[in-house]
Structures are given as structure tokens and as C-alpha cells.
Amino acid sequence: MNRILLIETATDVCSVAIADGEQIVSAEHISEAKSQASRLAPMILDIMDRADTPADRLAAVAVSSGPGSYTGLRVGVSTAKGICFGAGIPLIGIETLTIIAFGAMKTDEVKNSPEDTLIIPMTDARRMEVYTALYDAAGRRLTDTAAIVLTPETFIEELECHSRIVFTGDGAAKYEPMIPSKYRGKCIFIPSHPEAENMAVPAFRALQEKRFEDTAYFEPFYLKEFIAADPSRKLEAVLHPDRHL
């Protein structure tokens, strides 16, 4: 059996699901702020009961690994670790930006897009800062996750080179008014937040490839204070590392 418990707690929208391979069997979510600590365990027990899948029949547990809220991620990872230790099953970590990107891939805007479509998920940090990475239309991550300060020039090269760019996540709205008018026709903005259901495909791929975390020592990537001494140079190195080889 390839059933995986999916736990997403990076934001106020807490969600859980059980997937069989890439297909969702059962799912539940809540959008009540700061409720992960009290609601997560009952939600998990509920969907496991509905899916007739006790912990010892799970192949793995996948949990959002950040970036995201300190409290939410801590609750999610602690819960996932407890289940993995108790049932003797592996732990899978899925980055929040990957979850958001795979959510965008389900939309018609991406399904019907050109092959060179670029997906840019963003999570809101503070002021004009976001965490982001670049993904292709197949969900392959092209750059490392980085904290950046948005400016009108941030994605100019990507806007020049791709026929369509999909901006998504709760930080994407910050960049929309900055885009030069000549590029607006190729940009799509999809408001979204990470959902457990969108973890199914990357989690199953990790299971097949046996890409597991060290359950005892795994720690999520929390949103931390970010001060950029030179945002333009930092961003240039992250998005275009070939120029700095």
C-alpha cells in the first residue's frame, strides 16, 4: 500500500489528507487562526478513520517543511515525528513553495500553458520581502528557496525569456503592481495558500525515490528575520547563479 498521511501547517490554513499514490482518499482543512495545536490531532484521527487507514498501514508521513509560521510548522513536524516513531514509518519533508507550485499546476491556467511556462510561488515575509523559488511547468524546482526584496526589476530576465509566468502564493500580490506594462499580458496571478492535498504528487515521488528525512533530527525551515545588505546583488546570485561562477 502506498498511502501517505499529508500534514500542512505552514500558515493559518491547517490541512491534512491521506493519499494513495498520487490520488487523494480523504482530506480536511480549517482556516481558524492559531488552531493547529488543538485541532491537528483530531483532524488526523478523523481522516484516518474515514479512509480506514490506521497509522501502521501508512507507507510514510509527509509534512510541510517551511518556510512558514514558527508555531504552525513546529506543531506539524512534532505531530508527524510522533506518528513516524510510533508506527515505524519514514518521514518526508515537502517545502511550502513546492506545495504552492503543485497547487498552481492543477489550474487550467497552467494546464493549458506553453511548455516554457514558469511558476513562481511566493510566501509573504514582511514589508516587500518574500520567500520564493522558480519552478517549471512540470513542478521541477529550478532555483533554491531564497528570501528576496521585491523591486520592479526582480524578474525582468524571466519576463523576457518566458511566454507565460504564473505568480502564486500569498506574497505574489506584492509584485503585481510592479510589473512593467509591456509584460503584463504574459503574467497570471493565482491567489493561493498551501494545502495538504497538493502534497500528494511530490510526496509520492519522494516515497518512490526513498527521499526520507532523519526523523530524529529533522527541523523545518522557519520564517526568520531577513535583512538584505544589497538586495539586488543577493537576488541576482540566487536567480542567475551562472553569472557568478
Side-chain angles (χ1 to χ4, degrees), residues 158-222:
E158 286 69 32
L159 290 166
E160 287 278 2
C161 297
H162 294 266
S163 56
R164 179 167 294 180
I165 297 185
V166 177
F167 296 94
T168 186
D170 64 5
K174 291 181 177 182
Y175 188 61
E176 186 169 10
M178 299 183 185
I179 297 175
S181 58
K182 67 177 180 177
Y183 298 121
R184 291 188 179 276
K186 61 170 65 177
C187 296
I188 296 174
F189 283 81
I190 303 176
S192 69
H193 53 262
E195 285 274 9
E197 294 180 53
N198 297 327
M199 299 170 68
V201 174
F204 184 55
R205 290 178 184 175
L207 177 67
Q208 290 179 307
E209 297 168 10
K210 300 187 184 304
R211 287 187 282 109
F212 304 134
E213 306 292 343
D214 184 324
T215 305
Y217 295 101
F218 176 69
E219 291 290 336
F221 174 28
Y222 302 114

Side-chain angles (χ1 to χ4, degrees), residues 5 7 44 48 55 58 60-61 77-89:
L5 173 63
I7 302 174
I44 291 173
M48 290 173 68
L58 291 169
V61 177
V77 169
S78 297
T79 303
K81 284 185 173 184
I83 296 171
C84 289
F85 277 125
I89 55 178

Side-chain angles (χ1 to χ4, degrees), residues 8 10-11 64 66-68 94-107 110 119-124 131-133 135 139 166-172 190-199 202:
E8 209 304 301
T11 68
S64 51
I94 307 292
E95 286 197 21
T96 307
L97 294 172
T98 298
I99 301 169
I100 296 171
F102 272 83
M105 288 166 57
K106 293 181 177 180
T107 64
V110 176
I119 302 173
I120 305 182
M122 301 181 192
T123 58
D124 190 6
Y131 276 87
T132 190
Y135 292 77
V166 177
F167 296 94
T168 186
D170 64 5
I190 303 176
S192 69
H193 53 262
E195 285 274 9
E197 294 180 53
N198 297 327
M199 299 170 68

Side-chain angles (χ1 to χ4, degrees), residues 11-93:
T11 68
D12 286 340
V13 181
C14 172
S15 56
V16 296
I18 289 180
D20 193 343
E22 297 182 357
Q23 303 301 313
I24 297 298
V25 176
S26 181
E28 186 172 340
H29 77 275
I30 55 172
S31 55
E32 184 180 338
K34 300 180 180 179
S35 60
Q36 290 97 332
S38 61
R39 298 288 299 276
L40 182 59
M43 287 171 63
I44 291 173
L45 290 172
D46 184 45
I47 67 161
M48 290 173 68
D49 182 60
R50 294 204 312 260
D52 191 24
T53 308
D56 59 7
R57 291 182 60 197
L58 291 169
V61 177
V63 66
S64 51
S65 60
S69 133
Y70 176 84
T71 300
L73 290 172
R74 183 179 59 184
V75 170
V77 169
S78 297
T79 303
K81 284 185 173 184
I83 296 171
C84 289
F85 277 125
I89 55 178
L91 176 68
I92 296 169

